[in-house]
Amino acid sequence: KNLFYHSWKPQGRSTAVELYIAPTEQTALASGCYSIRINPIADGTFRLGVFVPNAAGNEWESLTLTDKIRVGVKVNGKVQTSADGTDRNANEGYVIEIAIDKSLIGYRADSFRFTAAFVQMKEYDQNRMGNSFIAGTHYTKVSTWKVITNDGVEEEDSTV
């Protein structure tokens, strides 16, 4: 149950939560979709990455956008940040809270598309394990993302 953070590696090679959002009407990877990656580093400390679709609409590229997102991180234990393991400690997990400006989901507060993944690792010096996405969703197939409304998650999406 260890959390790992590598300051010298790409952000996706450390323990993280990835959140993917888009306006409800969006069904393809294009303008209006956002990927938000948060790495817990220590209690109250994190690394934030924001990504948008590339011009081809088949992958994500980095974007500097921090004024529309607020994050809070609570780590119950320690995040290992050194290869020698001197800061290794049993960890009971972490909590990430995120607030997103409604302009990122088309100014609608009543519904949006969403999927999420956890980036997991077994050992400090290894690359990550596969992401664990919400069942049935894919990070570049927006039509598979869940639609969230004021009433909860729509299991069957009628807009696809």
Side-chain angles (χ1 to χ4, degrees):
K1 289 189 176 182
N2 285 296
L3 303 177
F4 303 97
Y5 180 71
H6 307 91
S7 60
W8 67 94
K9 287 187 176 184
Q11 188 183 12
R13 299 298 179 252
S14 295
T15 302
V17 170
E18 295 177 344
L19 173 70
Y20 299 81
I21 59 170
T24 305
E25 300 77 20
Q26 191 87 19
T27 58
L29 190 63
S31 179
C33 297
Y34 294 89
S35 170
I36 302 164
R37 183 179 296 140
I38 303 162
N39 302 102
I41 299 173
D43 203 23
T45 307
F46 57 90
R47 181 176 176 190
L48 172 66
V50 181
F51 305 86
V52 294
N54 63 9
N58 62 359
E59 200 50 71
W60 296 95
E61 62 187 19
S62 184
L63 172 72
T64 301
L65 179 78
T66 56
D67 62 328
K68 300 200 180 282
I69 300 169
R70 299 289 179 257
V71 176
V73 173
K74 172 69 176 151
V75 175
N76 187 6
K78 273 188 161 175
V79 177
Q80 184 175 340
T81 59
S82 66
D84 65 10
T86 56
D87 56 357
R88 186 177 181 112
N89 189 13
N91 194 297
E92 294 299 319
Y94 60 95
V95 175
I96 294 177
E97 292 185 4
I98 184 168
I100 302 168
D101 189 292
K102 65 182 177 181
S103 67
L104 294 182
I105 52 173
Y107 290 96
R108 289 186 60 181
D110 61 339
S111 70
F112 60 95
R113 285 190 180 275
F114 161 85
T115 191
F118 294 98
V119 178
Q120 304 171 50
M121 302 177 63
K122 286 186 176 181
E123 295 296 330
Y124 183 78
D125 287 328
Q126 295 177 354
N127 280 332
R128 70 182 184 182
M129 298 164 50
N131 291 11
S132 55
F133 278 89
I134 294 174
T137 67
H138 186 274
Y139 74 105
T140 61
K141 294 183 172 77
V142 180
S143 63
T144 67
W145 299 1
K146 302 295 183 182
V147 173
I148 308 295
T149 69
N150 288 333
D151 296 324
V153 177
E154 288 184 8
E155 293 302 323
E156 295 296 323
D157 184 5
S158 60
T159 64
V160 178

